[in-house]
Structures are given as C-alpha cells and as structure tokens.
C-alpha cells in the first residue's frame, strides 16, 4: 500500500532551459512552479538560467540536458536545418529586439542606417533587425559592425551609432543614467515575429506526450496567473530568481512586456501557421522547405475545454441511451 501511494505521488523531473538570465520575461514559469501548478500535474520542474557568455537553449534541448527550452523565432531555422524541435507556444507575439540610438542621432527611421556603425547581431536571435534594414533599402554590407568587447561603452562614447538591445534591459539602464535615446523596432515596420518561444524535441513529444501536454497547460496557467497578479509575480521573480534586479526594474519590464504577451483577441501563447509562414519568408526560408516541416513543427496541444465538452457530450449520450428502456417501461406501465 505504501509503495502504491509513493508511486501515485511521484513527481517526474524535467528541466526548462531559459534563453537568458532570470528576468520578468520568464515570470509565468516561475509562478507555475511557485504556485504548485507543475506539481499538481505531477512535474518537478527545474528552471535553469542561461550562461550569459554563451546562451544556448537549442543545444541543451538537442543534447537531452533539458526537456524544454525558450528560444526566439530562430527555432524555425533550426528545424528547417534538421534539428528536431517542436514549437509549443509563443509567449511574446512581437520581437522585443530593437536598435537603440542616441536622442541626438540623425537616425529616425530604418532607411537612415546607410553607412552607420552598429553592433554585431545574432542572426539566430535577432535576424529581424537586419531584415528590417534590408527591406527599407539599406545594403547591410555598407554597415560597419563593431568588433570590440564593450559595445555599450562604445555606444555611450559615440564610437558606434546603433546598439542592438532587448527593450527591457539597456534602455532602462540608459534612462536611469539620464542618457536620452530612442528605439527603432521591427514591429514598427510590420515585422511581427514571435519571440520567447517554448519548445521541446520531437523525441520528448513522441516518448512522453502526456508530460509535454501537462507542462504546456501548467505553464500557460502560470502565465495567466502572473498577468492577473503582477505585483505578486514581480515579488516572486525578485525574491527567488532575479535577485540582482530591483523591484522597480522588474516592474518596468512587466509593464512593457505585458503588451507583448497578452494582445487583443489572441490567447496567451498563441501561434498561427500563417504567421510562421510569414516568418519563414522574412528569414529567407524557401516555402517548400517550410512545407516539409510545418506539420511536425507546431505542437498540436490538447484543448482542455474541448476535451471537457466532449466528455460531457459523451456522458449525456450514455445517460440518454441508458434512460430509454426505463422511459419506455414507465410509459407502457402507465397504459
């Protein structure tokens, strides 16, 4: 009896590899763990921050070091290249990467980047920054890419014109230092690529489908809770995870990101085939290559509301069938 009880309460250990250090951008996962949502579905979840010097959630999931990871839209490029990744949910509906320029700069639009000095960007994480410039008529071969070790200092010292930033990070610190700036962002140019995508491997999905589904549902529940209880989510994030950040900074992150996470008429984590096809086009992926992977790339989750409705319908049908003989017996007995 004791053995059965232990088996019933055993938690399956899984790991979530983040794409960066602890930030509010991962608060939904923190809350799913902190509020016991993962535990309720039988999961013991470890949340690992990335190595800041070499963040690589793709490698961790591919090697089996983590069952789940967080990545940018580059996960599609990885899938087309043969990496067996499955996109489960897009927690940010738009790209949070922008170019930051000084308030005194003559760069106001993407078309103003001709011949400018910019930071080297990651084509896996923020390719849309270059694509935005190319689509605005800029020959990116004319750009001078900074090769030094301290791009932020170089930007402050006017050695470079534009700095690749995540909207909640460096812009906050620049504002705190009184350095006026503005952002040139892909979303402004109609490039609505997904970001902070929860993904897993095809092997994990094939061998442990219920674990994947449970993690998916509990994670979305955590995000819904975080957005409905922002102060609590910020406090948990600061106390247990992003201990290096102030409550004020985390509140700034939360305020900015909530519009990226929860958009009108779109469910949290929503992904569409049409938008992924657009992303494939933006990234220069042939449509034939996209068509080869699309069926297995996007996770077909179990809609719990639909399942509940289906079971209710089945139960109603069963009750109706069972009740027919009783109804007929009563009808004839009255005669």
């Amino acid at each position: 009896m004791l053995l059965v009880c232990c088996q019933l309460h055993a938690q399956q250990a899984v790991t979530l590899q983040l794409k960066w250090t602890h930030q509010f951008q991962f608060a939904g996962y923190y809350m799913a763990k902190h509020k016991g949502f993962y535990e309720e579905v039988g999961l013991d979840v470890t949340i690992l921050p990335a190595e800041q010097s070499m963040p690589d959630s793709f490698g961790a999931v591919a090697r089996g070091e983590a069952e789940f990871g967080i990545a940018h839209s580059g996960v599609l490029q990885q899938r087309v290249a043969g990496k067996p990744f499955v996109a489960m949910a897009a927690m940010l509906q738009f790209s949070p990467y922008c170019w930051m320029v000084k308030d005194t700069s003559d760069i106001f639009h993407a078309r103003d980047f001709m011949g400018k000095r910019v930071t080297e960007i990651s084509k896996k994480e923020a390719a849309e920054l270059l694509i935005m410039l190319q689509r605005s008529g800029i020959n990116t071969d004319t750009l001078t890419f900074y090769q030094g070790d301290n791009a932020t200092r170089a930007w402050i010292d006017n050695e470079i014109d534009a700095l690749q930033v995540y909207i909640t990070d460096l812009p906050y610190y620049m504002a705190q230092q009184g350095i006026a700036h503005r952002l040139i962002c892909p979303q402004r140019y109609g490039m609505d690529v997904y970001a902070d995508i929860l993904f897993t491997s095809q092997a994990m999905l094939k061998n442990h489908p219920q674990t994947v589904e449970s993690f998916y549902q509990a994670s979305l529940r955590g995000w819904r809770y975080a957005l409905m209880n922002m102060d609590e989510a910020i406090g948990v994030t600061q106390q247990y995870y992003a201990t290096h950040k102030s409550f004020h900074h985390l509140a700034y992150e939360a305020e900015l990101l909530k519009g990226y996470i929860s958009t009108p008429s779109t469910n949290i984590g929503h992904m569409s085939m049409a938008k992924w096809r657009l992303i494939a086009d933006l990234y220069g992926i042939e449509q034939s290559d996209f068509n080869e992977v699309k069926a297995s790339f996007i996770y077909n989750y179990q809609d719990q509301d639909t399942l509940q409705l289906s079971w209710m319908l089945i139960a109603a049908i069963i009750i109706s069938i069972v009740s027919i003989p009783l109804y007929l017996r009563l009808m004839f007995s009255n005669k």
Side-chain angles (χ1 to χ4, degrees):
M1 186 67 176
L2 180 60
L3 178 60
V4 172
C5 291
C6 291
Q7 288 175 339
L8 288 174
H9 291 87
Q11 300 287 304
Q12 181 176 355
V14 296
T15 297
L16 171 65
Q17 176 63 64
L18 304 181
K19 63 191 287 283
W20 194 237
T21 57
H22 289 305
Q23 319 278 333
F24 183 85
Q25 72 186 90
F26 309 119
Y29 305 106
Y30 304 151
M31 297 311 293
K33 182 177 176 69
H34 185 75
K35 303 301 292 187
F37 301 156
Y38 289 135
E39 185 178 4
E40 287 179 19
V41 294
L43 298 178
D44 178 13
V45 178
T46 298
I47 303 175
L48 291 181
E51 291 289 342
Q52 192 167 353
S53 60
M54 191 177 295
D56 182 23
S57 58
F58 293 137
V61 174
R63 293 188 297 269
E65 297 169 2
E67 286 74 21
F68 303 95
I70 308 296
H72 193 51
S73 289
V75 68
L76 176 58
Q77 293 172 308
Q78 294 281 322
R79 183 68 182 87
V80 171
K83 298 294 178 62
F85 296 142
V86 178
M88 298 172 61
M91 301 322 304
L92 301 185
Q93 296 295 306
F94 313 107
S95 171
Y97 292 102
C98 298
W99 291 109
M100 183 171 69
V101 301
K102 293 280 186 61
D103 191 48
T104 54
S105 170
D106 61 353
I107 300 175
F108 293 90
H109 305 282
R111 62 176 180 269
D112 299 329
F113 274 73
M114 183 67 73
K116 297 300 184 181
R117 303 162 299 174
V118 302
T119 47
E120 189 78 55
I121 73 166
S122 166
K123 292 184 179 180
K124 289 190 297 185
E125 286 291 317
E128 62 271 19
L129 291 180
L130 284 182
I131 296 170
M132 173 183 68
L133 302 185
Q134 292 165 355
R135 292 199 162 201
S136 297
I138 299 298
N139 180 354
T140 52
D141 291 337
T142 67
L143 300 176
T144 300
F145 290 97
Y146 176 75
Q147 301 294 331
D149 296 328
N150 194 335
T152 302
R153 173 47 57 187
W155 181 80
I156 292 174
D157 294 339
N158 294 314
E159 295 174 12
I160 54 178
D161 302 298
L163 186 68
Q164 170 198 343
V165 297
Y166 195 95
I167 59 165
T168 62
D169 196 10
L170 282 176
Y172 173 83
Y173 290 115
M174 293 303 112
Q176 294 297 299
Q177 295 178 48
I179 301 176
H181 60 273
R182 57 178 169 268
L183 300 176
I184 313 295
C185 304
Q187 186 182 351
R188 177 180 172 186
Y189 296 86
M191 298 181 60
D192 297 340
V193 302
Y194 292 131
D196 280 18
I197 297 154
L198 174 64
F199 74 101
T200 189
S201 66
Q202 285 185 308
M204 182 66 187
L205 181 56
K206 178 182 178 181
N207 298 326
H208 306 282
Q210 187 53 56
T211 300
V212 172
E213 174 66 11
S214 295
F215 187 87
Y216 172 84
Q217 295 292 349
S219 295
L220 291 190
R221 185 182 174 190
W223 272 112
R224 287 191 291 268
Y225 187 93
L227 293 180
M228 292 294 292
N229 302 272
M230 294 282 275
D231 284 348
E232 181 183 355
I234 293 168
V236 168
T237 300
Q238 182 191 36
Q239 183 176 355
Y240 298 101
Y241 299 95
T243 55
H244 59 293
K245 291 198 168 187
S246 67
F247 189 94
H248 183 271
H249 189 180
L250 291 171
Y252 171 85
E253 291 182 8
E255 187 63 30
L256 276 180
L257 289 179
K258 70 179 183 181
Y260 285 67
I261 299 168
S262 181
T263 59
S265 70
T266 300
N267 294 328
I268 294 176
H270 173 76
M271 298 188 300
S272 73
M273 188 68 73
K275 188 164 178 176
W276 273 116
R277 190 176 290 280
L278 174 62
I279 292 170
D281 181 58
L282 290 174
Y283 279 49
I285 296 172
E286 295 291 336
Q287 289 299 310
S288 57
D289 293 333
F290 176 76
N291 289 336
E292 286 184 13
V293 304
K294 67 177 183 179
S296 58
F297 174 64
I298 299 178
Y299 176 56
N300 293 316
Y301 63 89
Q302 301 286 331
D303 189 327
Q304 296 302 306
D305 292 336
T306 300
L307 284 176
Q308 184 177 5
L309 181 60
S310 298
W311 277 111
M312 290 174 64
L313 181 60
I314 291 171
I317 292 172
I318 292 173
I319 292 172
S320 298
I321 293 173
V322 171
S323 300
I324 288 174
L326 179 59
Y327 173 76
L328 291 174
R329 190 179 304 115
L330 289 172
M331 184 177 66
F332 286 112
S333 65
N334 288 334
K335 289 184 177 181

